[in-house]
Amino acid sequence: MGEGGAGEGQGAAVDEATGFEVGIVVPKLYRGAAAGCGEVENCVARLVRELEDVGLIVERVRGVPAEFIKLSAPMGTLGRVAAEMNMKKLTYIGMELQFEWDQVGAFVRQPDGSLFSWRERFACFRHLIYSIVNKTDSDITLSFDDKEFHWTQNESLLTRLEVEGIVKLVFPLHDEIKRKQLLRSWALKWFDFTWQPIDEIYSYFGTKIAIYFSFLGMYTRWLFFPAVFGLATQLIDFGWGINYSFSEYKTMGNELDPLSFSMADDNVQQRKFGAPKEKSIVQRNEWFGVLLRIRNNAIIVLAIICLQLPFELAYAHLYEITKTEALRYVLTAVYLAAIQYYTRIGGKVSVTLIKYENNQGEQSSADSLVYKVFGLYFMQSYIGLFYHASLHRNIMALRQVLIKRLIVLENLIENSIPYLNYSYKKYRAVHKKKHEKESPAGKSVRLSTRVEKEYLKPSYTASIGEELEDGLFDDFLELTLQFGMIMMFACAFPLIFCFAALNNVTEIRADALKLLVMLKRPAPRAAATIGAWLNIFQFLVVMAICTNCLLLVCLYDEEGKWKIEPGLAAILIMEHALFLIKFGFSHFVPEEPAWVKANRGRYVAQAQNNGEEIWRYILQPPSPVA
């Protein structure tokens, strides 16, 4: 790269700027109190001035529920902060190197052409606003609405305002242009079935959400094959003797973060044990953490056996003996209300237990939570199905429960709750504004700005508690529960694959609308895979082999004699063959495609052979020839 190219690239980058991507919410002040009390400076005014001093573009908006400070950043400001944070970015030579603003042209741009990804930009915003500290030699007195407090030396201003209750929330803002583009090209494109603009989703929401939608699309495409087979078995009698007319049996009884690399390296250095005593301490802490996890898992298992199992069996039994469909619907509604409350309590208990575990990092804690909460939902979702299928062998009741849970409840409840929540908050804000003493009598009150509407929208959090900020927990949980239903009871109701495929095609667009319209813009999160959910999917595959073979045995051995006959022996052999196929695929099918390995190998080889020379050429470009 010559001097002219580097200068032009840097100049173009300087001219770039983000839209308003972060909002800060503070209470409204009456007009007369905005200037502060006497000589004491108003804290909101001081915050705005400090934000502008660090290079941010600030816009204040006075809305109905609160006042909003919208933040944008020139690319030069983000570049300076990225260098301060020692952020690592991919270069065109295939290596991840520490970002340098002077060599901006050497770093790979994002699919949408921007220099920084959404996760990197959001990290820079947070670093900027939380690193505003009192650098003077004394405390500074600030005020807000007749209240005074001290901003101490080397203290973060935003943190102090959060402690004082003045800053209510810091949240990402939707980019209206990109949001509307995604609405047109993604959320409202129903006729594209499973196609999705993954690069655009990644650019707008970050890696983890892009991985979820990529996985959902792939999973739905593979559902089409068993869906066609299930539809065929429902319409055509192949002469198998069962044709799935089971009414005669009714009377029978689940990216590594580049910003954390430097911290990880420090941790590795700290774990180079120089003395046996240090090694024994680490080993003792490791075993202590294992024992804590065993204790917590035992608590969850006992809660499932002693509390949830009797409740689930009681519901399944009442459903079985209830004769009218109306009473069954009422019973199901009461059960769902009660079980949602119970499961939320179990989730909160799991979150509390994890805090006392010695987990190594945030991902390890997240995986531990996934396993515990899935155990609760596994019992909730499947024990009734096992009851209908194995004890009573009532296949018709099993079908009805599967359809009700798969179609009626998932999308209806999932997408109605955020809208109702937003409507209620909007009504409260408008009603409160009408009764303020500074509001003109008789004048209509409405939300006129986009930022205040976003503020009132629910956050993308898990249903087990807002302290778990990752809303993908619920979406992945929904997928795993659906996968278990359709796989574990496939031979009893093959048509369920058609319902699942139809549900997932709808789910793709419904989740897109939920993220783009009904919720606040989620904070970006790094991820490399779907994490612990992959292990849960593998567990469900093993369970599916067992349960389907058990259902075939129940259909073959109508009288329950359990004698070894040719039919039962064939089912047993089939079970072992399926296990062999499953574990064979897991062993022989590579975890990543060959083209990914080839690209990685090419980048590594290129970096090893030419990295030093190319980077030296970038840092010290040759002087132009006379």
Side-chain angles (χ1 to χ4, degrees), residues 339-389:
I339 200 62
Q340 288 296 327
Y341 181 75
Y342 173 82
T343 307
R344 179 166 295 189
I345 294 177
K348 289 183 178 295
V349 172
S350 301
V351 172
T352 303
L353 290 174
I354 286 173
K355 294 179 181 178
Y356 297 97
E357 292 181 357
N358 190 20
N359 291 306
Q360 302 297 321
E362 182 180 349
Q363 186 60 45
S364 178
S365 299
D367 292 347
S368 180
L369 180 64
V370 166
Y371 295 134
K372 289 178 175 61
V373 176
F374 179 77
L376 297 172
Y377 276 90
F378 182 88
M379 184 64 65
Q380 168 194 334
S381 301
Y382 303 133
I383 190 64
L385 301 178
F386 290 139
Y387 182 87
H388 295 305

Side-chain angles (χ1 to χ4, degrees), residues 501-566:
L502 178 63
N503 178 84
N504 284 8
V505 170
T506 307
E507 181 80 14
I508 292 174
R509 310 304 164 183
D511 282 352
L513 282 171
K514 177 179 68 176
L515 286 171
L516 291 170
V517 177
M518 300 181 186
L519 301 174
K520 291 185 179 75
R521 187 179 184 181
R525 296 178 181 275
T529 66
I530 64 173
W533 298 107
L534 180 60
N535 296 330
I536 291 178
F537 276 105
Q538 293 176 343
F539 163 75
L540 290 174
V541 169
V542 175
M543 287 292 298
I545 295 174
C546 298
T547 55
N548 279 286
C549 290
L550 178 62
L551 285 172
L552 291 176
V553 168
C554 291
L555 291 174
Y556 182 84
D557 186 21
E558 300 177 12
E559 300 178 0
K561 296 180 179 180
W562 300 98
K563 292 183 178 180
I564 300 298
E565 297 179 356

